[in-house]
Amino acid sequence: MCGIAGIVGRPGEIADAAEIHRMCQTLVHRGPDDEGIYVQGQVGLGMRRLSIIDLAGGQQPIHNEDRSVWVVFNGEIYNFPELRRELESRGHRFYTHCDTEVIVHLYEEMGAECVSKLRGMFAIALYDERRQRLLLARDRLGKKPLYYAFCDGRLLFGSEIKALLAAAPQLAE
């Protein structure tokens, strides 16, 4: 199943890894096998993993070759073997065998349009450090949930509403 969560803070704010961890703790039932957190400046990404593909090497967040693009992902990309072959033929180097990694390399080539190439069920949070841009996306049918809210000048997101409430309990009022 898996679950993702994260925050984009106010300008000048530094994301708090402990806050991202609290958000992820609300999603343990979705991903009991692993937790991964990425924090850079005002952005924090987190995920809880249920290991299905690449059991040994698919820990998230996943990054590109120079660690400038990071992604957390819930779901499955059905056409990832074909996408991976295409991307490798164009020089991309992969360090995992999981479907998540195709997302960062496809983003490098296509930007936000990369989502149009993905076939499957998914919720994605991808952060581009160079452009300081967050891409949130989900599959066309909404099979994988992705909730978001703006609260006190911050963007909160997660696979379940309770992840957002862990960072902003006032949303429940």
Side-chain angles (χ1 to χ4, degrees):
M1 192 162 25
C2 299
I4 64 173
I7 295 174
V8 177
R10 295 174 286 274
E13 183 178 11
I14 302 297
D16 180 6
E19 187 172 35
I20 303 301
H21 172 69
R22 281 193 307 278
M23 294 174 80
C24 287
Q25 286 301 108
T26 69
L27 304 172
V28 168
H29 63 284
R30 297 181 68 89
D33 297 331
D34 194 17
E35 178 177 282
I37 293 174
Y38 162 87
V39 174
Q40 177 64 38
Q42 68 192 65
V43 176
L45 307 177
M47 78 88 54
R48 290 297 313 189
R49 181 174 185 228
L50 176 63
S51 301
I52 297 173
I53 297 176
D54 193 7
L55 303 180
Q59 289 82 15
Q60 295 184 38
I62 296 284
H63 56 79
N64 63 341
E65 295 95 338
D66 68 2
R67 296 177 178 256
S68 64
V69 178
W70 293 81
V71 69
V72 289
F73 165 77
N74 171 27
E76 185 177 355
I77 304 300
Y78 305 139
N79 62 332
F80 92 91
E82 300 88 52
L83 292 172
R84 181 182 174 129
R85 282 191 297 276
E86 289 173 21
L87 290 162
E88 285 175 327
S89 75
R90 291 194 293 271
H92 292 275
R93 292 183 321 276
F94 285 72
Y95 69 97
T96 75
H97 298 287
C98 67
D99 54 351
T100 308
E101 194 173 358
V102 300
I103 299 166
V104 293
H105 298 298
L106 203 55
Y107 174 84
E108 287 179 297
E109 293 199 359
M110 300 180 69
E113 289 300 312
C114 70
V115 176
S116 69
K117 290 280 211 177
L118 303 176
R119 301 292 173 255
M121 54 181 178
F122 53 85
I124 298 166
L126 179 145
Y127 184 63
D128 181 334
E129 288 183 359
R130 285 194 187 109
R131 293 184 178 99
Q132 295 186 347
R133 186 176 299 160
L134 177 73
L135 170 65
L136 294 177
R138 70 178 199 176
D139 62 90
R140 294 150 196 81
L141 296 177
K143 290 282 238 178
K144 293 298 179 181
L146 182 60
Y147 298 92
Y148 66 93
F150 293 97
C151 184
D152 295 328
R154 303 188 314 159
L155 170 66
L156 313 172
F157 61 89
S159 294
E160 295 186 12
I161 292 172
K162 59 186 170 181
L164 282 61
L165 294 173
Q170 67 270 31
L171 288 172
E173 297 170 0

